[in-house]
Amino acid sequence: MYMQALCQQGDLYEAERVFNTLTNIPAFPSPDVFSYTILIQGYVKQASSSDATKAVFDLYRKMPSRGGPTTRGTLQGMLLEATIKTHSGDICDVRELFDQMVKDVEDDTLCLPTESAFCPPYRKGVSQSILYKQARKHTLTILYNAMMEGYFVYERERRLRTGGHGGLGSVKDALRLLDDAVRKDIKLNTRTLNIWVRGLARWNRDLEAAEMIVNQFRKLGVEPDERTTWHLVFAAYRQYDLVQARKWLQAYEDRGLPITYPLLAGLKQRIM
């Protein structure tokens, strides 16, 4: 609670001192997930700090190398997103952090707990192994989604500063990462799709590229959801392409899916 209060007040120096005390002095309990989360959120709030990226790197190095894979995956994803949201440093630094996190997940050889006398060893070992592999796959999905979003965020910031055009050509690094995810059989989901559709249709104003990426994800077994439809319809509406906006909205409703998002419902009344 003390660390949380310090971060809310913007006193990261004192919060880091408390965190380091918990980390380095055996008499105190080690930092838990809550402690890491508080400090990560503190870094995000201090987004203007030029040292934010370095601080996140240092925090990642302090993370325990062992522990539940789901917990570590959550922390890794939060750290990566925190680095992106700070807008400090270079995207290459963020990619370096991403590559290290992915390597750590892929190289993780955490031993399964030993069998007890009360549980058949084969059955217990298999179930735990499956759960652990699923957690690792989920972690990789989180990391790849965060990094792909990072490329779009940085590209958007660059264009806001310097001008220029969007489209698939401007996010070639994100495309390479998407190809890498497909090649490695990383589980892509609707969040992945929505990152791409928002980036292409709304931020880069490229409706054709957005439609192409939707079709590509369909081939991978990922169908657009209501959020996807909102990004597409809103982007087309903002570009005065009402024909395309109606087309995407009709395609969503033809699948028998309800409109529950208030902004999409309001937009429907304007264009239909």
Side-chain angles (χ1 to χ4, degrees):
M1 295 297 291
Y2 181 51
M3 276 183 58
Q4 187 175 26
L6 291 171
C7 288
Q8 288 175 346
Q9 295 172 5
D11 191 353
L12 280 181
Y13 176 81
E14 182 64 19
E16 288 173 349
R17 191 187 68 80
V18 174
F19 183 88
N20 290 332
T21 299
L22 295 174
T23 303
N24 299 323
I25 299 180
F28 290 95
S30 299
D32 56 9
V33 176
F34 186 59
S35 303
Y36 278 96
T37 302
I38 288 173
L39 205 51
I40 292 168
Q41 291 172 342
Y43 290 141
V44 174
K45 289 182 179 180
Q46 295 291 321
S48 60
S49 171
S50 60
D51 295 329
T53 301
K54 180 180 181 300
V56 172
F57 269 84
D58 291 341
L59 185 60
Y60 179 66
R61 294 188 186 99
K62 293 175 183 176
M63 283 176 56
S65 59
R66 293 297 184 216
T70 302
T71 298
R72 287 202 315 282
T74 301
L75 289 174
Q76 287 168 328
M78 289 182 65
L79 275 169
L80 194 60
E81 289 184 7
T83 309
I84 292 166
K85 289 178 180 178
T86 60
H87 300 301
S88 61
D90 189 88
I91 188 64
C92 294
D93 295 331
V94 181
R95 180 57 190 261
E96 181 183 346
L97 177 61
F98 166 81
D99 288 338
Q100 184 60 54
M101 287 179 172
V102 169
K103 184 178 184 301
D104 290 344
V105 173
E106 292 177 340
D107 292 348
D108 194 348
T109 55
L110 178 66
C111 295
L112 295 174
T114 56
E115 301 87 358
S116 70
F118 303 98
C119 182
Y122 177 76
R123 185 173 182 180
K124 181 177 181 181
V126 169
S127 63
Q128 289 177 336
S129 175
I130 291 174
L131 289 174
Y132 183 71
K133 289 178 180 178
Q134 289 176 343
R136 289 175 65 182
K137 287 183 177 181
H138 180 64
T139 297
L140 289 173
T141 299
I142 292 173
L143 294 178
Y144 270 80
N145 281 349
M147 190 66 237
M148 281 186 270
E149 184 171 28
Y151 278 124
F152 279 107
V153 169
Y154 271 76
E155 173 62 18
R156 184 191 189 202
E157 292 294 318
R158 184 194 66 78
R159 286 190 294 104
L160 288 174
R161 292 192 306 268
T162 64
H165 300 287
L168 285 173
S170 66
V171 289
K172 55 183 181 297
D173 290 326
L175 273 173
R176 292 193 191 100
L177 192 62
L178 179 60
D179 288 340
D180 184 56
V182 173
R183 179 178 57 82
K184 289 184 176 181
D185 198 26
I186 304 296
K187 183 175 177 55
L188 304 178
N189 51 28
T190 52
R191 171 160 170 72
T192 321
L193 173 59
N194 289 333
I195 288 170
W196 276 91
V197 170
R198 181 187 61 182
L200 292 173
R202 294 183 59 182
W203 292 356
N204 287 3
R205 300 175 61 83
D206 192 333
L207 300 180
E208 183 178 351
E211 185 169 24
M212 185 173 69
I213 210 73
V214 168
N215 293 332
Q216 185 63 36
F217 269 78
R218 277 200 173 106
K219 294 178 182 177
L220 297 172
V222 180
E223 289 290 333
D225 62 3
E226 187 175 14
R227 177 68 64 172
T228 317
T229 304
W230 158 249
H231 289 315
L232 291 168
V233 174
F234 181 72
Y237 174 76
R238 289 291 299 270
Q239 295 181 47
Y240 306 104
D241 191 344
L242 298 185
V243 173
Q244 190 66 55
R246 295 187 187 106
K247 171 188 168 184
W248 279 323
L249 186 59
Q250 190 63 51
Y252 175 79
E253 292 187 310
D254 286 347
R255 293 164 59 196
L257 300 174
I259 294 179
T260 61
Y261 190 45
L263 290 177
L264 182 58
L267 191 55
K268 176 184 176 180
Q269 294 179 349
R270 294 185 182 183
I271 66 176
M272 299 300 281

